[in-house]
């Protein structure tokens, strides 16, 4: 009689940055997968990325090709980890050969949020005093806010969320502009003073969603990861990423978006702005959600015809000069 030896359940290694927010997001993914696949072991492995290590230079001056993802991607290609959990807004739209975007999770609120110093608790974004010091490390936020509020003073702010909030509370800034989703995931919704209206600031591509990246040839894992994908969020984010990719923009370029789904239709709004806020092009397209990537390309072409290419060329030239 021949005995059948079954292979032991697979252990899957999840890669994550070491920041508090990254770990909260990664442990959430681990929990969801563990519920769906109780016979599989999911282990979390952490590592630091270039973006975590360089905290004294503005993000746009470092360059953004894998700023918060490269080390995790090398880990996957070297078989050290099986998949990585990213804030989707940090994941470049062109991935290294051999890797793929396996799943996109349900989105938290993708909007930007105003967080104020205690002395401004009775203010909103449009009633803060002239000269108010606003902290942001995002060229996208900077460009849009300068367009609407040229009388503010803008100052770069780096570090994790806790560090940024400590600087605000110490009086280094009058207000910060942060992602609402990050505050919510860390249980800090009470720090959200105001959700910035989309008429003032369109959010970053993929903001509020998690992107799960893995090796493209791992068919077993690709199948498992579909268990945590959210189809509507996927369609919205694929449209946004296609728009960004078609404009050859990166995570640190002033490109903002907003997406909405109604029935089978997806509406995508996009903006490209100069860093000083003086030049700005904005438009909207609507189509079938299943054609999300085509919609992104369509909107990119619409904005190119309105001058987006010239605006982005000027920005890239400034960034390359390091000014």
């Amino acid at each position: 009689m021949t005995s059948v030896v079954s292979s032991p359940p697979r252990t899957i290694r999840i890669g994550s940055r070491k920041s508090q927010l990254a770990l909260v997001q990664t442990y959430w993914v681990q929990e969801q997968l563990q519920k769906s696949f109780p016979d599989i072991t999911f282990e979390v492995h952490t590592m630091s990325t270039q973006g975590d290590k360089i905290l004294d230079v503005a993000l746009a001056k470092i360059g953004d090709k894998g700023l918060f993802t490269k080390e995790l991607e090398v880990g996957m290609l070297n078989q050290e980890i099986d998949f990585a959990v990213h804030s989707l807004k940090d994941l470049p739209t062109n991935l290294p050969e051999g890797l793929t975007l396996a799943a996109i999770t349900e989105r938290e609120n993708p909007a930007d949020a105003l967080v104020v110093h205690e002395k401004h608790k009775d203010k909103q974004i449009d009633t803060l005093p002239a000269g108010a010091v606003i902290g942001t490390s995002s060229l996208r936020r900077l460009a849009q806010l300068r367009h609407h509020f040229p009388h503010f003073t803008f100052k770069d702010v780096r570090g994790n969320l806790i560090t940024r909030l400590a600087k605000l509370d110490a009086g280094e800034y009058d207000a910060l502009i942060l992602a609402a989703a990050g505050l919510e995931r860390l249980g800090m919704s009470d720090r959200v003073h105001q959700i910035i209206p989309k008429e003032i600031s369109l959010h970053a591509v993929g903001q509020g969603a998690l992107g799960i990246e893995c090796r493209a040839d791992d068919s077993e894992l690709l199948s498992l990861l579909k268990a945590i994908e959210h189809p509507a969020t996927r369609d919205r984010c694929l449209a946004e990423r296609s728009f960004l990719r078609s404009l050859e923009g990166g995570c640190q370029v002033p490109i903002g978006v907003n997406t909405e789904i109604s029935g089978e239709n997806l509406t995508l709004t996009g903006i490209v702005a100069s860093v000083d806020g003086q030049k700005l092009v904005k438009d909207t397209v609507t189509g079938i959600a299943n054609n999300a990537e085509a919609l992104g390309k369509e909107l990119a072409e619409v904005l190119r015809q309105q001058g987006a290419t010239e605006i982005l060329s000027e920005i890239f030239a400034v960034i390359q000069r390091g000014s």
Side-chain angles (χ1 to χ4, degrees), residues 24-43:
V24 166
Q25 294 173 167
T26 300
Y27 287 135
W28 179 85
V29 169
Q30 179 191 39
E31 180 183 7
Q32 301 310 304
L33 288 170
Q34 201 69 73
K35 287 178 183 176
S36 297
F37 307 102
D39 294 334
I40 297 175
T41 300
F42 295 92
E43 297 178 347

Side-chain angles (χ1 to χ4, degrees), residues 6-205:
S6 59
S7 49
R10 179 179 176 182
T11 295
I12 294 177
R13 299 155 300 173
I14 310 172
S16 173
R17 291 168 56 198
K18 294 180 178 180
S19 76
Q20 183 181 8
L21 178 57
L23 286 171
V24 166
Q25 294 173 167
T26 300
Y27 287 135
W28 179 85
V29 169
Q30 179 191 39
E31 180 183 7
Q32 301 310 304
L33 288 170
Q34 201 69 73
K35 287 178 183 176
S36 297
F37 307 102
D39 294 334
I40 297 175
T41 300
F42 295 92
E43 297 178 347
V44 173
H45 295 246
T46 62
M47 54 188 73
S48 295
T49 66
Q50 183 186 20
D52 297 311
K53 297 171 185 174
I54 304 175
L55 297 176
D56 57 350
V57 180
L59 291 176
K61 293 182 180 179
I62 304 172
D64 66 345
K65 293 187 182 299
L67 191 58
F68 293 104
T69 62
K70 184 177 180 180
E71 286 79 1
L72 293 165
E73 291 174 333
V74 169
M76 282 182 278
L77 292 171
N78 290 341
Q79 308 275 334
E80 296 165 5
I81 56 175
D82 297 302
F83 74 88
V85 179
H86 305 290
S87 292
L88 187 57
K89 68 182 179 64
D90 294 331
L91 187 63
T93 55
N94 292 306
L95 303 183
E97 185 176 354
L99 300 179
T100 188
L101 179 56
I104 299 174
T105 67
E106 185 170 9
R107 192 175 220 164
E108 297 282 352
N109 186 345
D112 291 330
L114 177 71
V115 182
V116 299
H117 187 275
E118 172 71 14
K119 65 185 177 184
H120 297 304
K121 63 182 180 181
D122 60 336
K123 303 288 195 303
Q124 298 282 285
I125 186 73
D126 56 352
T127 56
L128 285 169
V133 178
I134 312 297
T136 176
S137 58
S138 161
L139 289 185
R140 171 189 58 81
R141 292 169 181 151
L142 180 64
Q144 293 183 87
L145 291 172
R146 275 180 171 161
H147 178 76
H148 292 281
F149 307 108
H151 55 280
F152 289 160
T153 298
F154 295 94
K155 182 179 174 184
D156 195 63
V157 56
R158 292 292 312 281
N160 62 39
L161 203 51
I162 304 302
T163 300
R164 296 185 197 191
L165 291 171
K167 291 178 178 180
L168 170 69
D169 294 338
E172 293 184 37
Y173 304 86
D174 291 294
L176 301 178
I177 309 295
L178 302 168
L183 292 164
E184 290 170 0
R185 286 195 174 108
L186 287 177
M188 296 181 176
S189 297
D190 60 314
R191 294 304 303 259
V192 176
H193 185 70
Q194 178 191 6
I195 294 295
I196 306 296
K198 62 185 179 182
E199 293 75 21
I200 292 175
S201 181
L202 295 185
H203 60 74
V205 167

Side-chain angles (χ1 to χ4, degrees), residues 193-229:
H193 185 70
Q194 178 191 6
I195 294 295
I196 306 296
K198 62 185 179 182
E199 293 75 21
I200 292 175
S201 181
L202 295 185
H203 60 74
V205 167
Q207 188 160 304
L210 304 182
I212 313 300
E213 186 183 19
C214 77
R215 290 183 294 275
D217 62 359
D218 194 337
S219 56
E220 177 189 6
L221 184 53
L222 283 165
S223 178
L224 293 180
L225 291 172
K226 289 301 178 186
I228 58 172
E229 180 152 81

